[in-house]
Amino acid sequence: LIRAGIFDLTIDATINKVTVQNDDETNVYEMENPKLAKVDINPKYANSSKVFIEYTINVTNKGEIAGYAKRLVDYLPEELTLDTTLNPNWYVAADGNAYTQELENVLIQPGETKTVTLVLTKQMTEEDTGIINNTFEIAQTYNEYAISDIDSTEGNNAQGEDDMSRAD
């Protein structure tokens, strides 16, 4: 018998940039705090503003054996929409969540990180401002030893596990 090793995939979602388009102009904002992005929208153009939020999702193998992140999920907030023309590798399932299998055939070696992006949109209104909480999770994994992640249960939507990440 030999010890197979530890399997541990983690996820970290951040906001890379926010683009605001309205009748007056288009502005692109690079984020200083990638976990809590904030942009100000001129109230005069609130109803005509459309916001594009670009997320970067990093999946890192912190374990000792290689594995796959077969499916990632974005528990899509109701304020945001997924445009598949901007995100060809993502889809919205019947449960209302957004999924990607972009990394399903990408072997992630120990210590390695793989990245996917997601652009979500929001049509602004004068009444519809505030914080939008967006949560991501590794929904399905695989490794050749059939070992479960050491400190997370995939796809269970349980806060506090390292297979979940938030960007607001």
Side-chain angles (χ1 to χ4, degrees), residues 55-164:
Y55 294 90
T56 300
I57 302 126
N58 293 311
V59 177
T60 302
N61 187 340
K62 291 189 175 181
E64 300 169 345
I65 60 174
Y68 299 86
K70 299 293 266 180
R71 189 165 52 148
L72 305 178
V73 60
D74 175 7
Y75 296 107
L76 199 60
E78 63 183 43
E79 302 94 339
L80 300 178
T81 54
L82 173 73
D83 181 346
T84 55
T85 60
L86 298 174
N87 305 281
N89 294 322
W90 288 82
Y91 63 94
V92 176
D95 62 6
N97 297 322
Y99 293 90
T100 186
Q101 293 172 275
E102 188 172 337
L103 299 177
E104 74 176 329
N105 296 315
V106 178
L107 184 63
I108 306 172
Q109 296 291 340
E112 196 173 41
T113 299
K114 298 297 181 184
T115 302
V116 297
T117 58
L118 173 64
V119 177
L120 298 177
T121 58
K122 175 176 176 48
Q123 181 62 54
M124 297 301 300
T125 65
E126 290 177 6
E127 296 81 31
D128 196 17
T129 60
I131 293 180
I132 300 170
N133 306 103
N134 199 359
T135 304
F136 299 84
E137 184 175 22
I138 300 172
Q140 184 181 7
T141 62
Y142 172 81
N143 62 72
E144 68 178 296
Y145 302 104
I147 295 175
S148 297
D149 193 295
I150 192 167
D151 57 5
S152 303
T153 302
E154 59 191 39
N156 67 344
N157 200 4
Q159 299 296 322
E161 295 182 355
D162 68 359
D163 72 337
M164 289 196 76

